[in-house]
Amino acid sequence: MTERHPQAGPPEHPGGRRARSGQGGWRPPPADRQQPPPPGAQPPPRRRAEQPQQRETSPRRHRSEPEEPRPARPPEARRKRDPEEQARPAAPRRAKRRRTPEPTSGHGHGHGHGSAPPASKRVRIWLAALLVPFALASIVGMLVLYPFGHTQQTGADIGFGQDPVNGEITAARTSDCTQGGGSSGGSGDGCVTLQVRMQDGPRPNQTIEQVMPTDPSTPHFAVGDQVVLSYAGTNPQDPSSFQVVDFQRGTPLLVLALVFVAAVLVLGRWQGLKSLIGLGLSLAVLIGFVLPAILAGENPLLVAVAGAGATMFVVLYLTHGISARTSAAVLGTMVSLALIGVLSAVFSAATNLTGLDEDTSNLIGVLGAPIDARGLLLAGIVIGALGVLDDVTITQTSAVWELRAANPALTWRQLYGSALRIGRDHVSSAVNTLVLAYAGAALPMLLAYTLSGRSFGEIVSSQTVAQEVVRTLVGSIGLVAAIPVTTALAALVVTRQPAGGEPHEPTPGDEIGEGAERSAEEALWWRPTQKISLPKKP
């Protein structure tokens, strides 16, 4: 038996065979078939085991390398469809929707009401036919009721002969209750002597002495307090001609007003600036028209209606812009104000409210002229409800417009129902706000009546409390009625105008969405159409 080279592989002999994996590698042929190698022959190289054919993969491309352009789609690379798929009709490609310009954000109130798209010509004519007569009526009413040529008496002419003088407390000590009295020595006579240095008036930079009681109805004074004295206008050298009546509050109120203006401008920006301008115009109408007209003897209810109408038109259109949305809110506000005026007149007469509370009685006594006290009560109800109605009506019209923009296929009934559900959530908080506002203003009066020992029915039916109850309930009824009225008017207006607006330039978000859509369409034909089979394992 011949020996084989130790490093030689299996000989090229037909009798040789390879053993299975795990059984010792190459197995020599039987002994009768072995042949000795020729002299000087090199051992044959070892043959490597055949590897199964693998699918070629392209090398990974580094990020810095440019990406190879994707080849164009050849006609023969189209995906073949089976007969059933060919018979099925192809789905129509969805057309790109023309986008309408989104409203610009603006609000504060919290609500962010943007500018609405322009209304159609028919809607503008219809709104103008409804609103122009009321606007003209407000202007004519203000011109008729304004007291041209009337000079109102003020100050000493009607008994207010006290001139205010600013001062500062420099010293304070307890004393008896006589002018120039000495120290009480802790006897508790209940008075305090103040040394007040006057800052203006007939004796600037001079100090006078004031004796003030220390009972609970008198405020407590301390050194450094900025106070206001009333000067009777008689002998300025006599300290009894002056009397400490109040504190100076100009600087803190100015700081608070500046903080309010800054907060509105920071959060509302241009919309906040327009709101501040509207607030200034409202105060101008109140101070420049309503108060002079009432003091001149005009009907307070008519004056309040004319002033509220002018305020409503100017403030709403200035703050929210001239649009069909704002016009619908103005219509809803007008209807609700008319309802409040009618209800307040009916129930103030039914409950025999005279309006002669303590403040009104003092005003009539000072003027020396008759004033319609019940009309003054009704005017206060109308003006007080206007501010809350503006918020509710603008919110409802904005809700209707946003629902219409989200789904232009909604009908009038569907828009009304959806927006009314939003209004129900708003009305509960608004009514609660109105009730608590009136209750907070009348809190001292409510405390006094609580201590009177009278029953609840007797307290509610008294003159002072009953007028507040009528004021609160009538305003709340008008507020609740403003929700369905404004919603119905807004839905009627928005369904009479085109749902879409002018197209606008595509935004980066639109371009990204279109690119993703194209990539998805290309991926449908880029998939391989032939299956690649890999060799099975042995």
Side-chain angles (χ1 to χ4, degrees):
M1 180 175 179
T2 60
E3 294 183 358
R4 187 171 170 270
H5 195 277
Q7 296 182 352
E12 297 295 335
H13 193 276
R17 69 180 187 273
R18 184 173 298 278
R20 293 184 178 180
S21 176
Q23 298 183 2
W26 177 81
R27 182 180 298 176
D32 55 349
R33 297 184 180 182
Q34 293 183 0
Q35 298 179 2
Q42 297 293 334
R46 181 181 296 272
R47 296 169 56 187
R48 298 179 61 183
E50 296 181 357
Q51 299 293 335
Q53 184 179 1
Q54 296 183 355
R55 184 175 58 182
E56 296 182 0
T57 58
S58 59
R60 296 184 62 183
R61 181 177 57 87
H62 194 267
R63 293 181 180 179
S64 61
E65 299 179 5
E67 184 180 0
E68 298 182 1
R70 180 176 296 180
R73 179 184 180 187
E76 59 273 8
R78 297 177 180 175
R79 186 167 56 92
K80 297 181 179 180
R81 298 186 297 179
D82 53 3
E84 296 182 359
E85 187 175 2
Q86 293 179 0
R88 189 183 310 123
R93 185 172 180 178
R94 184 179 60 182
K96 295 183 179 181
R97 185 176 58 185
R98 300 179 67 184
R99 301 177 180 270
T100 57
E102 299 181 357
T104 58
S105 61
H107 98 240
H109 151 344
H111 300 285
H113 315 294
S115 58
S120 62
K121 183 178 180 181
R122 185 178 66 174
V123 172
R124 292 197 299 267
I125 294 176
W126 183 67
L127 291 174
L130 291 176
L131 293 175
V132 169
F134 290 100
L136 293 177
S138 299
I139 297 175
V140 172
M142 292 183 64
L143 294 176
V144 171
L145 297 174
Y146 187 80
F148 291 102
H150 175 75
T151 303
Q152 181 62 47
Q153 296 180 349
T154 58
D157 297 334
I158 56 175
F160 292 106
Q162 306 292 327
D163 297 328
V165 177
N166 294 327
E168 181 182 359
I169 298 178
T170 58
R173 58 181 177 84
T174 58
S175 63
D176 54 19
C177 295
T178 58
Q179 188 72 29
S183 175
S184 62
S187 60
D189 291 336
C191 289
V192 59
T193 300
L194 305 176
Q195 299 292 329
V196 182
R197 183 174 58 86
M198 292 184 293
Q199 299 172 346
D200 52 18
R203 297 175 59 183
N205 298 324
Q206 295 186 14
T207 302
I208 62 172
E209 188 177 89
Q210 292 287 302
V211 178
M212 302 294 297
T214 57
D215 54 1
S217 62
T218 304
H220 297 281
F221 298 97
V223 177
D225 288 345
Q226 304 291 323
V227 295
V228 178
L229 299 91
S230 64
Y231 172 54
T234 55
N235 184 12
Q237 302 301 325
D238 186 7
S240 61
S241 300
F242 300 89
Q243 183 180 1
V244 179
V245 293
D246 206 348
F247 291 93
Q248 298 182 31
R249 302 181 179 91
T251 302
L253 291 179
L254 180 60
V255 172
L256 180 60
L258 293 178
V259 171
F260 166 73
V261 171
V264 173
L265 293 178
V266 169
L267 298 179
R269 299 183 181 180
W270 287 111
Q271 192 77 6
L273 178 61
K274 291 188 291 185
S275 301
L276 293 175
I277 297 175
L279 176 60
L281 293 176
S282 300
L283 294 177
V285 172
L286 179 63
I287 299 174
F289 167 71
V290 175
L291 299 183
I294 293 177
L295 291 176
E298 300 293 343
N299 190 329
L301 182 58
L302 295 179
V303 172
V305 170
T311 302
M312 174 185 60
F313 278 102
V314 173
V315 173
L316 288 182
Y317 281 117
L318 174 65
T319 306
H320 303 284
I322 301 176
S323 62
R325 176 189 302 182
T326 308
S327 300
V330 171
L331 283 173
T333 306
M334 284 195 312
V335 174
S336 302
L337 275 180
L339 178 63
I340 289 175
V342 171
L343 289 178
S344 60
V346 170
F347 283 96
S348 62
T351 54
N352 295 321
L353 292 179
T354 61
L356 293 173
D357 54 6
E358 183 179 358
D359 295 333
T360 307
S361 301
N362 294 335
L363 176 62
I364 294 176
V366 169
L367 290 177
I371 290 182
D372 186 3
R374 180 180 294 178
L376 193 61
L377 172 64
L378 301 180
I381 295 175
V382 171
I383 295 176
L386 177 61
V388 185
L389 286 177
D390 289 348
D391 175 71
V392 173
T393 54
I394 285 293
T395 302
Q396 284 305 113
T397 53
S398 296
V400 172
W401 252 258
E402 294 301 327
L403 290 172
R404 174 72 170 181
N407 189 359
L410 292 178
T411 62
W412 178 88
R413 187 180 297 274
Q414 293 171 337
L415 279 175
Y416 177 78
S418 301
L420 192 61
R421 286 191 291 270
I422 299 175
R424 291 193 185 103
D425 296 335
H426 191 196
V427 71
S428 58
S429 59
V431 169
N432 192 38
T433 301
L434 191 61
V435 172
L436 292 180
Y438 285 128
L443 187 59
M445 177 191 64
L446 296 177
L447 292 174
Y449 276 101
T450 303
L451 297 176
S452 64
R454 302 166 64 182
S455 63
F456 178 77
E458 294 174 348
I459 294 175
V460 171
S461 60
S462 62
Q463 165 69 30
T464 308
V465 179
Q467 70 179 16
E468 297 298 331
V469 171
V470 172
R471 190 196 309 269
T472 303
L473 296 182
V474 168
S476 300
I477 292 173
L479 190 63
V480 173
I483 300 294
V485 170
T486 307
T487 304
L489 291 173
L492 185 63
V493 171
V494 77
T495 53
R496 296 298 187 274
Q497 65 179 7
E502 297 295 332
H504 71 296
E505 295 296 330
T507 62
D510 298 337
E511 297 177 357
I512 293 174
E514 293 176 359
E517 185 178 358
R518 287 195 301 268
S519 299
E521 292 176 355
E522 293 175 357
L524 294 177
W525 66 268
W526 188 252
R527 293 180 301 180
T529 57
Q530 297 181 357
K531 295 183 179 180
I532 299 177
S533 59
L534 298 177
K536 297 181 180 181
K537 293 183 179 181

